[in-house]
Amino acid sequence: KAVCFGEHVILGDGRVLSQETAERIASLVSEGGLTPDALANMHAATQHAAYRAALAELEELLQANDQESAYQAWFEGQPWAFGTSYVGRVEARTVGLHEQVDIILKTADGYLDIIELKRPSTDPLRGVQRGKGLSCCWSAPAAEAIGQCAHYLRSVEEKRHLLQVDEGLPFVKPRARVVMGRSHAWET
């Protein structure tokens, strides 16, 4: 779908093309010079460039900012960062009387999962000396985040019917994921 607006064409996904560019593309398609395979390849290349640009933006964020809200804004615009099983983000965030999660994502098969974000400076692991070796275990902030997610999941299970009827949120055995910390300083 596209809408003409003055000398520009606005595509269904919000991208803007000049009238001249839109006419050239239409001409190539009608003359057979632009095949469906070529269009698919162009789409894939465009998507790849968008992913690279988004990752560069995340790298800049990691260097300049440690506020959870900045990362939440980035992740809300990039649900693909959580994997191919997710097809989009749900606008709603309230899952109980006083519980508001960071992000709700919809899976390809229609299920909903909860994402809990923590600051990248928060270490998820801590080292524990065990005899002559060092073991890793969850840090206190990571344990708290896991407990927070367990609370959200319990709340969703208890209010599943109301969330479906009142909010249109079909939670069926949701999972929760915690995004916390960075691996750049980890030792192997």
Side-chain angles (χ1 to χ4, degrees), residues 11-140:
L11 301 177
D13 64 1
R15 288 180 290 158
V16 179
L17 300 176
S18 70
Q19 185 70 35
E20 180 184 351
T21 301
E23 288 173 3
R24 277 195 224 154
I25 292 171
S27 174
L28 284 170
V29 170
S30 66
E31 294 169 4
L34 195 56
T35 65
D37 285 343
L39 281 172
N41 289 338
M42 286 172 53
H43 174 72
T46 302
Q47 197 65 40
H48 181 70
Y51 291 158
R52 289 178 60 106
L55 288 173
E57 181 184 336
L58 178 62
E59 280 298 324
E60 287 178 24
L61 259 177
L62 288 168
Q63 299 303 321
N65 196 328
D66 193 45
Q67 297 301 311
E68 186 179 317
S69 59
Y71 293 96
Q72 181 158 345
W74 187 88
F75 279 112
E76 284 176 350
Q78 314 299 335
W80 57 267
F82 294 102
T84 57
S85 62
Y86 294 108
V87 295
R89 181 176 66 90
V90 175
E91 291 293 325
R93 293 179 48 206
T94 302
V95 296
L97 185 58
H98 300 290
E99 292 88 10
Q100 191 170 57
V101 300
D102 290 332
I103 298 174
I104 300 174
L105 293 178
K106 185 177 219 173
T107 64
D109 52 5
Y111 292 104
L112 301 177
D113 287 346
I114 294 169
I115 307 294
E116 180 60 31
L117 301 173
K118 298 298 178 195
R119 295 188 304 176
S121 63
T122 306
D123 286 327
L125 300 173
R126 66 181 178 92
V128 177
Q129 192 68 40
R130 304 238 191 255
K132 293 182 181 179
L134 186 66
S135 297
C136 289
C137 65
W138 295 121
S139 66

Side-chain angles (χ1 to χ4, degrees), residues 154-165:
R154 193 170 40 257
S155 185
V156 164
E157 285 295 316
E158 290 171 358
K159 296 169 182 67
R160 186 176 66 231
H161 180 70
L162 287 173
L163 288 168
Q164 170 71 44
V165 173

